[in-house]
Amino acid sequence: ELKVEQNPLFLSMQEGKNYTIYCNYSTTSDRLYWYRQDPGKSLESLFVLLSNGAVKQEGRLMASLDTKARLSTLHITAAVHDLSATYFCAVDMGTSGSRLTFGEGTQLTVNP
Amino acid sequence: EAQVTQNPRYLITVTGKKLTVTCSQNMNHEYMSWYRQDPGLGLRQIYYSMNVEVTDKGDVPEGYKVSRKEKRNFPLILESPSPNQTSLYFCASSLQGSFSPLHFGNGTRLTVT
């Protein structure tokens, strides 16, 4: 059974600081997704990582995938309040995104 | 506008009273799926469908049914709801075979008393 674990589950940080969210998974996969969820809202896609060593960046967020270590990271650079949300990683064990297993989510709060 | 539409957004019901949550997408996606979200557990897959008339169980299918008679619709049926099915439900869709990310609906918050 695939297990996906995120660390930390809760993160409170100051604006302007850097931090990394970790996503570990238990079974070999080279397909990993990151999503963002604002309070009371749906999930929106941030990044799709489809191979070992993949790195994607969008604004202050950068995601990477190390399939050998079964680890993905979501790095936040110079955090701003608008990044406050819950971030989920999800690992795909099925056919082209059909069997996503989600982590527990990391609730990020960026304080002014 | 490309979207996944779920109805209703909020639903309070009693144990044992059959209910259906509808999901419709206008993007001509082959793949559709239902998830439930519970605090501390992330999202767990209930059922998914790779195309019309093709459905399969996810990780937590007990107590749920689905059907896929048309490409755009994927209703979730609870024949005899129980309190442990109180949760936030999301429908999602994507293009089959593309590894594209899921498009999520706005969610249905279900309370079973």
Side-chain angles (χ1 to χ4, degrees), chain A residues 52-83:
Chain A
N52 184 41
V55 177
K56 296 276 184 75
Q57 183 163 4
E58 179 76 31
R60 300 173 188 275
L61 300 178
M62 183 173 72
S64 65
L65 179 61
D66 181 343
T67 60
K68 292 184 172 57
R70 299 177 188 169
L71 171 69
S72 180
T73 60
L74 181 66
H75 186 72
I76 304 153
T77 302
V80 293
H81 180 68
D82 285 353
L83 290 179

Side-chain angles (χ1 to χ4, degrees), chain A residues 19-22 34 46-47 61-63 72-76 87:
Chain A
Y19 211 86
T20 300
I21 298 171
Y22 297 89
W34 282 96
L46 291 174
F47 299 109
L61 300 178
M62 183 173 72
S72 180
T73 60
L74 181 66
H75 186 72
I76 304 153
Y87 294 85

Side-chain angles (χ1 to χ4, degrees), chain B residues 12-20 78-82 112:
Chain B
I12 301 174
T13 189
V14 295
T15 298
K17 187 176 181 182
K18 181 179 177 179
L19 66 91
T20 299
L78 285 71
E79 298 248 342
S80 183
S82 62
V112 183

Side-chain angles (χ1 to χ4, degrees), chain B residues 11-113:
Chain B
L11 180 56
I12 301 174
T13 189
V14 295
T15 298
K17 187 176 181 182
K18 181 179 177 179
L19 66 91
T20 299
V21 183
T22 64
C23 174
S24 179
Q25 50 91 6
N26 63 0
M27 295 168 279
N28 202 35
H29 285 167
E30 297 87 357
Y31 175 82
M32 298 185 74
S33 183
W34 278 102
Y35 290 85
R36 61 177 287 174
Q37 183 177 16
D38 300 290
L41 296 177
L43 281 79
R44 293 178 292 167
Q45 191 177 46
I46 304 170
Y47 269 95
Y48 65 98
S49 170
M50 305 289 266
N51 214 324
V52 175
E53 302 291 1
V54 181
T55 63
D56 210 344
K57 296 177 180 178
D59 296 315
V60 288
E62 294 79 18
Y64 304 95
K65 282 176 58 177
V66 293
S67 68
R68 188 89 181 275
K69 293 184 170 54
E70 306 165 280
K71 196 172 188 179
R72 62 184 291 125
N73 295 324
F74 191 44
L76 180 69
I77 303 155
L78 285 71
E79 298 248 342
S80 183
S82 62
N84 64 12
Q85 293 178 298
T86 292
S87 186
L88 178 59
Y89 292 85
F90 285 101
C91 179
S93 72
S94 70
L95 276 174
Q96 179 59 24
S98 66
F99 300 105
S100 59
L102 294 173
H103 295 256
F104 283 87
N106 285 329
T108 296
R109 187 165 291 282
L110 171 65
T111 302
V112 183
T113 61

